[in-house]
Amino acid sequence: MQESLGNKATKGTIWSSVDRLSVIILQFVVNLILARLLMPDDFGAIGLITIFIAVAQTLIDGGFGAALIQKKNPTQEDYSTILWWNMAFSGFLYFILFVSAPLIAKFYHIESLTYIIRAIGIVLIINAIVSVQINRLRKKLYFNKIALINILSCIIGSGVAILAAYFQYGVWSLVFLQLVTALISLTMLWVVTGWHPSIVFSIASFKALFSFGGYLLAANLLQTICQNLQGLIIGRKFSATQMGYYSQAQKLDQLSSYALPQIIVQVMFPVFSQIQDDQAKLQDVVLRSIRIISFIIFPIITLLIIIAESLIETLYGAKWLPAVPYFQILCLGGLFSCLQNVNFYAIAAVGKSRELFYWSFYKWGFLLTALIVSMNFGMYGILWGMVLSSINIYLTNSWLTSKHIKLKLIKSVFVLLPVLIIAVICGVCTEFIILNFNLHFIIISIFFFVLYLSISAMFGLKALNDVVILLKRLLIK
């Protein structure tokens, strides 16, 4: 008997959760070790060139990954065509990056960046091949294979990076981390999946996929540039050390505001695509995703803001304390950015990539304007500008969802309020405990979550029920 979509989605959630949580934990532990072995300016040097690698990677993907998932029955010819295109185009972009590396190094006044850029740029070619294989598995909801590959490649790459840092290779430890992880992932994909491209390039297939992916590419490209522009500004206007503090604060914030929500979102996009013609069901799935994400993420972010100083000093050491206020401000933006992709992919699933592209000019134009204005107020100005942008992006995506799947904006916002109110109440109570009792932050954290779950259960919060149902399904599976 053919497995139901619900069962596939549940299994996908299980394996996606295993994948993301394992990789998150591994990256978190490795980052702690490297933060103690390396200096802030080592992390800052990698942060300075992130925008160039990120833009090139977005160009390589070209929106084809999402197009292959959105297409109901992609063929061998489709996958092969995109793979050959990715390989050729990534080679061209790496050549440009290789030649322009000295100019980038001169822009930041750091000569060693030339060699770092040329080395780390090789990841672009590797990832160009990997992305097609991963999207092929994701389309088929084979998240178990994706999990195996991601976890093992992360373990091996992390081990090499830690050894390099221990033997005082400095910033090159971070370069090795990315290169080795990508190489192991590529190798395992060919071995585990057994899939190989055909010697074919179909112009018709390329055009058909680009008709959807092209607009998504433009939207994602603008998004990538604007999201990484702050690194360009910080690196040029301030210093590599400050960039290092920002980079570390952003990594810690990304765990709560992006990585955990993405566990649900990366499973839900294929599901969104397969129920795109059933508006009522799509509305229900989107609302449930919003409730689950907010119920899990909002209290985590609230607690992190409260215990930020103790947490960062304990985890990274006193030399990273200047990153504390950066992290706290980014967490406020995380309350909104954690929900952005739910609405974004719901819109993409119903084939409205062109409108996403048009509205991206407004969303990322807003961020660009905010950054240009706020940079005149120092680092804190830049960070607050990013928070305002996160709020704007969330509201814009929610409005587009209300337009295309008839999920009213007020309804999608209203489901968040009970969770937010309870999280804030628990935060105020926890802050009172901190001010009056000298307790370890772990004890404080336990108090916070016990209080949060107790109040949620007392008021019969619907989001709590959604999470309980999801956990039961996962346990049964």
Side-chain angles (χ1 to χ4, degrees):
M1 184 180 293
Q2 189 174 8
E3 190 172 20
S4 70
L5 177 60
N7 287 337
K8 287 184 177 180
T10 302
K11 287 184 177 180
T13 300
I14 295 171
W15 280 107
S16 179
S17 299
V18 170
D19 178 12
R20 291 303 303 164
L21 287 174
S22 299
V23 172
I24 286 170
I25 292 171
L26 282 168
Q27 290 178 339
F28 180 69
V29 172
V30 171
N31 192 51
L32 291 182
I33 297 172
L34 294 177
R36 290 185 174 273
L37 293 173
L38 304 175
M39 298 302 294
D41 56 345
D42 291 325
F43 287 91
I46 296 297
L48 294 175
I49 62 176
T50 296
I51 186 171
F52 302 102
I53 301 299
V55 168
Q57 188 63 59
T58 301
L59 284 170
I60 291 168
D61 180 71
F64 292 119
L68 286 169
I69 293 176
Q70 196 271 343
K71 187 173 181 178
K72 290 185 177 180
N73 295 297
T75 64
Q76 170 75 2
E77 186 178 73
D78 292 330
Y79 287 116
S80 300
T81 296
I82 300 308
L83 180 63
W84 296 124
W85 165 260
N86 279 3
M87 289 180 65
F89 193 49
S90 63
F92 171 71
L93 289 178
Y94 176 69
F95 173 76
I96 294 176
L97 199 62
F98 188 95
V99 172
S100 60
L103 298 176
I104 298 173
K106 186 176 180 180
F107 175 80
Y108 288 121
H109 308 295
I110 303 176
E111 185 177 348
S112 61
L113 280 183
T114 297
Y115 309 103
I116 295 172
I117 292 170
R118 288 174 172 174
I120 208 168
I122 298 172
V123 172
L124 294 174
I125 299 175
I126 300 172
N127 286 345
I129 303 171
V130 167
S131 65
V132 175
Q133 289 265 35
I134 290 291
N135 282 312
R136 181 176 171 274
L137 294 177
R138 186 174 290 127
K139 176 67 177 179
K140 297 177 179 293
L141 298 179
Y142 289 158
F143 290 98
N144 55 338
K145 294 182 179 181
I146 296 175
L148 174 67
I149 292 166
N150 286 341
I151 292 170
L152 288 180
S153 60
C154 184
I155 290 173
I156 296 172
S158 298
V160 172
I162 291 171
L163 285 174
Y166 179 78
F167 288 107
Q168 300 182 346
Y169 278 83
V171 67
W172 285 97
S173 307
L174 301 174
V175 176
F176 296 154
L177 175 62
Q178 295 194 37
L179 280 174
V180 174
T181 300
L183 280 170
I184 297 299
S185 179
L186 174 63
T187 303
M188 289 191 65
L189 276 167
W190 291 114
V191 173
V192 172
T193 66
W195 179 82
H196 301 284
S198 303
I199 309 299
V200 61
F201 185 91
S202 169
I203 295 178
S205 176
F206 182 86
K207 288 181 177 179
L209 290 168
F210 191 78
S211 65
F212 174 88
Y215 288 104
L216 209 56
L217 162 65
N220 287 338
L221 182 61
L222 187 58
Q223 174 179 342
T224 299
I225 292 173
C226 291
Q227 282 186 330
N228 290 279
L229 191 60
Q230 63 272 16
L232 190 70
I233 294 172
I234 293 169
R236 177 65 177 180
K237 191 174 177 64
F238 301 101
S239 67
T241 300
Q242 283 178 295
M243 182 63 200
Y245 292 138
Y246 166 77
S247 177
Q248 203 64 264
Q250 187 186 42
K251 284 180 184 178
L252 192 54
D253 169 63
Q254 289 290 299
L255 287 175
S256 56
S257 63
Y258 177 78
L260 291 177
Q262 193 67 8
I263 292 173
I264 298 174
V265 172
Q266 71 177 12
V267 174
M268 295 317 297
F269 180 46
V271 175
F272 287 166
S273 296
Q274 294 184 47
I275 61 174
Q276 58 185 279
D277 299 324
D278 190 336
Q279 192 175 89
K281 186 178 291 187
L282 184 56
Q283 289 176 1
D284 181 65
V285 173
V286 170
L287 278 177
R288 195 182 313 142
S289 299
I290 291 173
R291 285 196 300 267
I292 291 172
I293 290 174
S294 62
F295 183 82
I296 296 171
I297 303 303
F298 280 16
I300 292 176
I301 290 178
T302 303
L303 179 64
L304 287 175
I305 292 173
I306 295 171
I307 64 171
E309 185 172 347
S310 299
L311 181 66
I312 288 179
E313 184 174 11
T314 301
L315 294 179
Y316 301 114
K319 66 182 178 183
W320 289 100
L321 282 176
V324 170
Y326 297 177
F327 173 62
Q328 290 173 318
I329 296 173
L330 288 173
C331 279
L332 290 173
L335 291 170
F336 301 92
S337 59
C338 70
L339 296 165
Q340 290 173 3
N341 281 342
V342 175
N343 290 307
F344 182 89
Y345 284 112
I347 301 163
V350 295
K352 300 298 180 181
S353 59
R354 180 180 299 187
E355 189 153 356
L356 284 173
F357 165 61
Y358 291 148
W359 276 95
S360 67
F361 282 101
Y362 163 70
K363 291 186 294 186
W364 304 116
F366 183 97
L367 173 59
L368 181 60
T369 302
L371 288 175
I372 292 173
V373 173
S374 62
M375 65 183 287
N376 297 304
F377 299 93
M379 276 295 302
Y380 293 138
I382 291 175
L383 293 169
W384 282 112
M386 292 170 61
V387 171
L388 289 175
S389 174
S390 293
I391 297 172
N392 179 64
I393 294 169
Y394 164 70
L395 291 174
T396 302
N397 286 353
S398 296
W399 178 79
L400 288 173
T401 302
S402 71
K403 178 181 178 182
H404 293 295
I405 68 171
K406 308 305 178 185
L407 178 59
K408 293 182 179 179
L409 174 59
I410 189 66
K411 189 173 183 178
S412 63
V413 173
F414 182 75
V415 298
L416 303 173
L417 292 181
V419 175
L420 182 60
I421 291 170
I422 293 175
V424 171
I425 290 173
C426 293
V428 171
C429 294
T430 303
E431 185 65 28
F432 175 81
I433 296 296
I434 292 174
L435 293 174
N436 290 277
F437 301 95
N438 186 24
L439 300 175
H440 194 276
F441 75 87
I442 293 180
I443 298 176
I444 293 295
S445 301
I446 294 172
F447 167 80
F448 177 90
F449 282 113
V450 169
L451 182 63
Y452 176 75
L453 291 173
S454 299
I455 296 176
S456 299
M458 185 186 307
F459 287 95
L461 206 64
K462 191 171 184 179
L464 173 59
N465 186 57
D466 289 330
V467 173
V468 170
I469 292 173
L470 177 62
L471 289 175
K472 285 182 178 179
R473 287 179 179 173
L474 295 178
L475 290 173
I476 290 172
K477 291 297 177 183

